[in-house]
Amino acid sequence: MTYPIPDDVNTMIPYQQALELVLSQVSTLEAEEVPLVESVGRVAAADLCSDVDISPFDHAAMDGFAMKASSLASACADNPVQLKVIAEVPAGSVYEGPIAADECVRIMTGAPLPAEADAVVKYEIVDYLKGDGREGSVVAFTKPAEAHENVRNKGEEIAAGQVAIHRHEVITAAGVGFLASCGIATVPVFRRPKVGVISIGSELVDITCKPEAGTIRDGNSHALCACVAQAGGTFHRCPTVPDDLQALTDVVLAATEECDFVLTSGGASNGDYDFIKPVVEANGTLLMTLVNMRPGKAQTFGIVNGTPVFGLPGNPAAAYCGFEILARQALRKMQGFTNFQRPQVKARMASFRKKKDPRVIFLRATLQRRDDGDLWVTPAKNQSSGLFGTMQQANCLAIMPAGTNPVEEGAWVDCVLLHVEEGTVL
Ligand code: AMP
Ligand code: MG
């Protein structure tokens, strides 16, 4: 741990420390076996070895003629070497007969190189003296061939018993093909975390309801379920809970029994009706309550029943930002990913920005490359933490560092790329 744990859980901590704390409380989950194609995007939970050499035999890399390279040693434009075509080998067949010095075999891409041949010359540079190049023809070569020319060697990619994909490697679509060649039909991958998502607030009604006086639709649980799915987890949307200590206790306890991680939103401040902190404190260990960030400094985290519980703020953009900056990485770690960081780029601020709030501010913003070749970042006009729409339109979070120094127009700032997977090299 880089940061000392504060004595008082109500101390406001830097977001980097909050992240470190959350990550320290989760471990990679156990392995599960999935059908090969479903392993794409997942993390290998074991070293995956091939049961064969790949390729399993020397084979032609092109359609052409196979012969002993030595047969063509004297070939030149003035004195072409003539060879008789004595057989044809399509892919999937084998030619096991002899090949004399004045003979060759017509061969197709992927067909095994005959035992007595060591080179393949492509059709395009061969002249047909008699016949059409098939069995019984005579063909002429005007250049020597190198041994192994146009031949893919047995075991060129991997030898039987070697590791094709290592434990903790992310399996790509190409990796799925590689594993298929290695004879691996089901793959051990780290399990996806099951994440319980709870919206807290007596004002919340379901999507299907038209909100009446004093109520609003619950947007957060849907957004957070979508965030969980995008992070690779599975979600369990729990019933929405009113601002009531007992009701929240019941739903949180049930969720911690059933899930690997619990996300709540709302009721995370110190108001009369904010109950997530007392629930975590009374039923487990409260580890964090305040983070030096905006939007959303009220970020609660603790352990209940051995399960991490993350209490995000209720304001939609604050909840989203809290998930992106502090919770998503934990879900990635649980799945065995080793690179937790969304890629960041430096971009130039499109307009001067004052900074009255000394917290680190994550501005919902849009990155664009301008004609000058630089990346420029334009923050959404309305940065209210109550808005979903500006989050939908943003493609990054521009970071304004702690303190009250303004950011000049054209100054370089760090931007977290949303929608770009961790580990992407830009
Ligand atoms: P709270 O964190 O509970 O004080 O809520 C802050 C603001 O976010 C209030 O205006 C709530 O009505 C709103 N809010 C809380 N939960 C949700 C939710 N699930 N969906 C949309 N807005 C919410
Ligand atoms: Mg509330």
Side-chain angles (χ1 to χ4, degrees), residues 200-203 243 265-268 273-274 314:
I200 308 168
S202 298
E203 74 279 30
D243 295 310
S265 72
Y273 293 92
D274 291 333

Side-chain angles (χ1 to χ4, degrees), residues 78-147:
D78 295 340
N79 189 16
V81 169
Q82 297 184 16
L83 302 180
K84 281 176 267 176
V85 182
I86 56 162
E88 285 186 30
V89 218
S93 299
V94 180
Y95 173 77
E96 285 170 324
I99 302 175
D102 62 346
E103 292 174 344
C104 64
V105 165
R106 185 180 172 93
I107 194 164
M108 315 300 147
T109 308
L113 191 71
E116 293 203 354
D118 61 5
V120 172
V121 176
K122 62 181 176 183
Y123 286 153
E124 290 81 348
I125 58 169
V126 176
D127 297 324
Y128 299 170
L129 300 183
K130 182 183 140 203
D132 59 0
R134 312 196 80 125
E135 193 174 336
S137 304
V138 176
V139 291
F141 299 81
T142 52
K143 272 198 275 182
E146 303 257 335

